[in-house]
Amino acid sequence: MKVVDSYSRVVRLGEGLGASGRLSVDAMERAGQALQACAQKLSRRPLRRILAVATEACRQAANGAEFIARARDITGLPLRIIPAREEAELAMESCVPLLGPQDRRALLFDIGGGSTEIAWIRGDNGQASLIGYVSLPLGVVTLAERANLCCFTPEGFDTVVNEVAEALTRFDRVHCIGQEMRAGGVRLMGTSGTVTTLAGVALALPRYSRPMVDGRILDCADADQALRDLFMLGREGLRLHPCVGPERADFVLPGCAIYAAIRRVWPSSCVTVADRGLREGMLQRMMREESTRARRPPAPARHASQPYS
């Protein structure tokens, strides 16, 4: 796969959603502008197929479907809101290449803006299938905006860790994940800005570098120390940090609290860091489907029958 163009923008579509239950006008305007930029880039390329999806913010919002319909009309992009299971499957597809032949199971976490997805995966010689998943309506944006909660204080941070850990423990009881991890052969994998930021800090990168981070197997003790370092920086220190920056400073510690809960419920010696996610999963899916179509034998020609005269 060769990347010919790439574009990303932080739009905070779920801003204010927790309080109002709706996408705000400003958030929809930001997202709409970003989508128009994407549509303009795509219009300059010869395309066979486009996948465009929306996730938790639009699933939760009372006006989520309305926003998607309006965005489709304005941009021409075939946007659709995908269910939580499909979101987990796409994240899984993007990370399959990181599995080794010894990995009989994998636990993948994706800490997003509006939700956190946990995928419990069966590995089979580099292939993967989804055993189970859970989508928690707790993400870095929703937690950062929650009233009377501040992850910059030890009390607020611990509140989030306890809340998330309780929800994850219920999922663990269903699938006995902790027991499986103690037996061995289970890879812990993380994808999202939280875990890639922890990797950047643990590696003491002067600025964030995807090639240095993606696929990195990070010792969890180093990740835990990076978390403590980030917490000690405070808001202003996070704004100035080269692996964080002003746009993400308010969201890093809520993500770290979710990560800390995952570590509490499922202790592991290391975590595989994936700077990949839905976008790469969508590309992997499209390429696989294109390959399947290319191998499929052509259908026999159909001839219209004519009555004898």
Side-chain angles (χ1 to χ4, degrees):
M1 179 174 65
K2 178 183 177 182
V3 177
V4 296
D5 201 347
S6 179
Y7 171 80
S8 65
R9 182 182 296 178
V10 177
V11 299
R12 305 189 309 279
L13 182 58
E15 183 180 60
L17 177 60
S20 68
R22 299 178 63 85
L23 303 177
S24 71
V25 172
D26 288 345
M28 289 190 290
E29 179 65 23
R30 290 192 299 266
Q33 290 174 357
L35 288 169
Q36 285 179 303
C38 291
Q40 289 169 5
K41 285 179 171 289
L42 291 170
S43 69
R44 297 192 288 267
R45 301 283 180 181
L47 302 173
R48 288 205 305 270
R49 188 179 172 197
I50 299 174
L51 280 182
V53 306
T55 56
E56 183 66 15
C58 289
R59 287 196 295 263
Q60 282 191 28
N63 58 340
E66 177 187 336
F67 166 70
I68 291 299
R70 187 161 67 249
R72 276 198 301 259
D73 291 341
I74 293 171
T75 65
L77 296 173
L79 282 158
R80 65 186 179 92
I81 303 173
I82 59 173
R85 182 183 179 89
E86 185 173 355
E87 184 175 355
E89 288 172 340
L90 287 169
M92 177 186 74
E93 290 204 37
S94 73
C95 294
V96 165
L98 300 178
L99 291 177
Q102 76 282 3
D103 297 322
R104 59 183 185 83
R105 296 284 189 273
L107 183 66
L108 173 64
F109 60 89
D110 181 1
I111 303 170
S115 65
T116 295
E117 272 66 47
I118 307 290
W120 180 228
I121 299 165
R122 177 182 292 107
D124 183 13
N125 292 322
Q127 302 298 313
S129 58
L130 188 64
I131 301 171
Y133 75 98
V134 64
S135 180
L136 307 181
L138 300 168
V140 298
V141 175
T142 51
L143 287 171
E145 293 181 343
R146 184 184 287 182
N148 302 319
L149 176 66
C150 178
C151 284
F152 288 89
T153 68
E155 296 79 13
F157 192 92
D158 288 344
T159 296
V160 174
V161 173
N162 292 334
E163 180 180 356
V164 176
E166 184 178 349
L168 296 180
T169 298
R170 291 194 293 269
F171 183 65
D172 179 79
R173 291 195 192 105
V174 174
H175 296 286
C176 302
I177 298 169
Q179 180 178 328
E180 293 270 12
M181 292 183 78
R182 288 188 291 274
V186 179
R187 182 182 293 267
L188 179 66
M189 295 193 293
T191 173
S192 73
T194 296
V195 72
T196 57
T197 298
L198 287 171
V201 174
L203 295 169
L205 298 180
R207 61 181 179 275
Y208 184 76
S209 170
R210 184 181 189 273
M212 291 290 292
V213 168
D214 184 46
R216 170 78 61 167
I217 298 176
L218 187 65
D219 191 295
C220 280
D222 293 336
D224 293 345
Q225 182 58 53
L227 189 159
R228 290 189 289 269
D229 292 343
L230 288 169
F231 188 86
M232 294 300 295
L233 285 174
R235 182 177 279 105
E236 190 56 34
L238 291 171
R239 290 173 61 85
L240 298 173
H241 196 286
C243 291
V244 181
E247 284 192 328
R248 298 180 55 242
D250 286 340
F251 308 124
V252 168
L253 292 186
C256 285
I258 296 172
Y259 169 77
I262 293 167
R263 287 273 292 118
R264 177 190 292 180
V265 177
W266 297 303
S268 176
S269 62
C270 60
V271 57
T272 298
V273 182
D275 188 346
R276 56 184 74 191
L278 294 187
R279 180 175 58 183
E280 289 78 11
M282 291 156 67
L283 289 169
Q284 293 281 358
R285 177 173 290 183
M286 284 193 290
M287 289 190 295
R288 188 182 67 252
E289 291 173 352
E290 286 288 323
S291 176
T292 300
R293 275 196 288 267
R295 293 195 303 268
R296 190 176 296 151
R302 293 185 177 181
H303 301 282
S305 59
Q306 293 182 343
Y308 289 101
S309 58

